[in-house]
Coordinates of all heavy atoms in Angstrom, one line a residue:
Y220 N 62.0 62.1 129.1 CA 62.6 63.5 128.9 C 61.6 64.3 128.1 O 61.4 65.5 128.5 CB 63.9 63.3 128.1 CG 64.7 64.6 127.9 CD1 64.9 65.4 129.0 CD2 65.2 64.9 126.7 CE1 65.7 66.6 128.9 CE2 66.0 66.1 126.5 CZ 66.2 66.9 127.6 OH 66.9 68.0 127.5
A221 N 60.9 63.8 127.1 CA 59.9 64.6 126.3 C 58.8 64.9 127.2 O 58.2 66.0 127.1 CB 59.5 63.8 125.1
L222 N 58.3 64.0 128.1 CA 57.2 64.3 129.0 C 57.6 65.5 129.9 O 56.7 66.4 130.1 CB 56.9 63.1 129.9 CG 56.3 61.9 129.2 CD1 56.3 60.7 130.1 CD2 54.8 62.2 128.8
V223 N 58.8 65.6 130.3 CA 59.2 66.7 131.2 C 59.3 68.0 130.4 O 58.9 69.0 130.8 CB 60.6 66.3 131.9 CG1 61.2 67.6 132.5 CG2 60.4 65.2 132.9
L224 N 60.0 67.9 129.3 CA 60.2 69.1 128.5 C 58.8 69.7 128.0 O 58.7 71.0 128.0 CB 61.0 68.9 127.2 CG 62.5 68.5 127.4 CD1 63.2 68.4 126.1 CD2 63.2 69.6 128.3
Q225 N 57.8 68.9 127.8 CA 56.5 69.4 127.4 C 55.6 69.6 128.5 O 54.5 70.1 128.4 CB 55.9 68.3 126.4 CG 56.6 68.2 125.1 CD 56.0 67.1 124.2 OE1 54.8 67.0 124.2 NE2 56.7 66.5 123.3
G226 N 56.0 69.2 129.7 CA 55.2 69.4 130.9 C 53.9 68.6 130.9 O 52.8 69.1 131.3
V227 N 54.0 67.4 130.3 CA 52.8 66.6 130.1 C 52.2 66.0 131.4 O 51.0 66.0 131.6 CB 53.1 65.5 129.1 CG1 51.9 64.5 129.0 CG2 53.4 66.1 127.7
A228 N 53.1 65.6 132.3 CA 52.6 64.8 133.5 C 53.0 65.5 134.7 O 53.9 66.4 134.8 CB 53.2 63.4 133.4
R229 N 52.3 65.2 135.8 CA 52.7 65.7 137.1 C 53.8 64.8 137.7 O 54.7 65.3 138.4 CB 51.5 65.6 138.1 CG 51.7 66.1 139.5 CD 50.5 66.1 140.3 NE 50.0 64.7 140.4 CZ 50.4 63.8 141.3 NH1 51.4 64.1 142.1 NH2 49.9 62.6 141.3
E230 N 53.8 63.5 137.5 CA 54.8 62.6 138.0 C 55.2 61.6 137.0 O 54.3 61.0 136.3 CB 54.3 61.9 139.3 CG 55.2 60.9 139.9 CD 54.6 60.2 141.1 OE1 53.5 60.5 141.4 OE2 55.3 59.4 141.7
V231 N 56.5 61.3 136.8 CA 57.0 60.3 135.9 C 57.8 59.3 136.7 O 58.7 59.7 137.4 CB 57.8 60.9 134.8 CG1 58.4 59.8 133.9 CG2 57.0 61.9 133.9
V232 N 57.5 58.0 136.6 CA 58.3 57.0 137.3 C 58.9 56.1 136.2 O 58.2 55.6 135.3 CB 57.4 56.1 138.2 CG1 58.2 55.0 138.9 CG2 56.7 57.0 139.3
L233 N 60.2 55.9 136.3 CA 60.9 55.0 135.4 C 61.1 53.7 136.0 O 61.7 53.6 137.1 CB 62.2 55.6 134.9 CG 62.2 56.7 133.9 CD1 61.9 58.0 134.5 CD2 63.5 56.8 133.1
V234 N 60.6 52.6 135.4 CA 60.8 51.2 135.9 C 61.6 50.4 134.9 O 61.2 50.4 133.7 CB 59.5 50.6 136.2 CG1 59.7 49.1 136.7 CG2 58.7 51.4 137.2
G235 N 62.6 49.8 135.3 CA 63.4 49.0 134.3 C 64.1 47.9 135.1 O 64.4 48.0 136.3
L236 N 64.4 46.8 134.4 CA 65.2 45.7 135.0 C 66.5 46.1 135.4 O 67.0 45.6 136.5 CB 65.3 44.5 134.0 CG 64.0 43.8 133.6 CD1 64.2 42.7 132.6 CD2 63.3 43.2 134.9
D237 N 67.2 47.0 134.7 CA 68.4 47.6 135.1 C 68.1 48.8 136.0 O 67.9 49.9 135.5 CB 69.2 48.0 133.9 CG 70.6 48.5 134.2 OD1 70.9 48.9 135.4 OD2 71.5 48.4 133.4
R238 N 68.0 48.5 137.3 CA 67.6 49.6 138.2 C 68.6 50.7 138.3 O 68.1 51.9 138.5 CB 67.4 49.0 139.6 CG 66.3 47.9 139.6 CD 65.8 47.7 141.0 NE 64.8 46.6 141.1 CZ 64.0 46.4 142.2 NH1 64.1 47.2 143.2 NH2 63.2 45.3 142.2
K239 N 69.8 50.5 138.2 CA 70.8 51.6 138.2 C 70.6 52.5 137.0 O 70.8 53.7 137.1 CB 72.2 51.0 138.2 CG 72.6 50.4 139.6 CD 74.1 50.0 139.6 CE 74.5 49.5 141.0 NZ 75.9 49.1 141.0
L240 N 70.4 51.9 135.8 CA 70.1 52.7 134.6 C 68.9 53.5 134.8 O 68.9 54.7 134.5 CB 70.0 51.8 133.4 CG 69.7 52.5 132.1 CD1 70.8 53.4 131.7 CD2 69.4 51.4 131.0
A241 N 67.8 52.9 135.3 CA 66.5 53.7 135.6 C 66.8 54.8 136.5 O 66.3 56.0 136.3 CB 65.5 52.7 136.1
Q242 N 67.5 54.6 137.6 CA 67.8 55.6 138.6 C 68.6 56.7 138.0 O 68.4 57.9 138.2 CB 68.5 55.0 139.8 CG 68.8 56.0 140.9 CD 69.5 55.4 142.1 OE1 69.6 54.2 142.2 NE2 69.9 56.3 143.0
A243 N 69.6 56.4 137.2 CA 70.5 57.4 136.5 C 69.7 58.2 135.6 O 69.8 59.5 135.6 CB 71.6 56.7 135.8
H244 N 68.8 57.6 134.8 CA 68.0 58.4 133.9 C 67.1 59.3 134.6 O 66.9 60.5 134.3 CB 67.2 57.5 132.9 CG 68.0 57.0 131.8 ND1 68.7 57.8 130.9 CD2 68.0 55.7 131.2 CE1 69.3 57.0 130.0 NE2 68.9 55.8 130.1
A245 N 66.4 58.8 135.7 CA 65.5 59.6 136.4 C 66.2 60.8 137.1 O 65.7 61.9 137.0 CB 64.9 58.8 137.5
E246 N 67.4 60.6 137.6 CA 68.1 61.7 138.3 C 68.5 62.7 137.2 O 68.4 63.9 137.5 CB 69.3 61.1 139.0 CG 70.0 62.1 139.8 CD 71.2 61.5 140.7 OE1 71.2 60.3 140.8 OE2 71.9 62.3 141.3
D247 N 69.0 62.3 136.1 CA 69.5 63.2 135.1 C 68.3 64.0 134.5 O 68.4 65.2 134.3 CB 70.1 62.3 133.9 CG 70.9 63.2 133.0 OD1 71.2 64.4 133.3 OD2 71.3 62.6 131.9
I248 N 67.2 63.4 134.3 CA 66.0 64.1 133.8 C 65.4 65.0 134.8 O 65.0 66.2 134.5 CB 64.9 63.1 133.3 CG1 65.5 62.3 132.1 CG2 63.6 63.8 132.9 CD1 64.6 61.1 131.7
L249 N 65.4 64.6 136.1 CA 65.0 65.5 137.1 C 65.8 66.8 137.1 O 65.2 67.9 137.4 CB 65.1 64.8 138.5 CG 64.8 65.6 139.7 CD1 63.3 65.9 139.7 CD2 65.2 64.9 141.0
H250 N 67.0 66.7 136.8 CA 67.9 68.0 136.8 C 67.5 68.9 135.7 O 68.0 70.1 135.7 CB 69.4 67.6 136.7 CG 69.8 66.8 137.9 ND1 71.0 66.0 137.9 CD2 69.2 66.6 139.1 CE1 71.1 65.4 139.1 NE2 70.1 65.7 139.8
A251 N 66.7 68.4 134.7 CA 66.3 69.3 133.6 C 65.0 70.1 134.0 O 64.6 71.0 133.3 CB 66.0 68.5 132.4
T252 N 64.3 69.7 135.1 CA 63.0 70.3 135.4 C 63.1 71.8 135.7 O 62.2 72.5 135.4 CB 62.3 69.5 136.6 OG1 63.2 69.5 137.7 CG2 62.0 68.1 136.2
P253 N 64.2 72.3 136.3 CA 64.3 73.8 136.5 C 64.2 74.5 135.1 O 63.9 75.7 135.1 CB 65.6 74.0 137.2 CG 65.8 72.7 137.9 CD 65.4 71.7 136.9

Side-chain angles (χ1 to χ4, degrees):
Y220 188 47
L222 290 167
V223 167
L224 290 184
Q225 296 179 28
V227 170
R229 180 179 60 82
E230 179 182 1
V231 176
V232 179
L233 283 81
V234 178
L236 293 179
D237 187 337
R238 297 199 187 194
K239 287 186 177 180
L240 179 63
Q242 181 178 353
H244 279 312
E246 188 173 351
D247 194 14
I248 295 168
L249 177 67
H250 298 164
T252 57

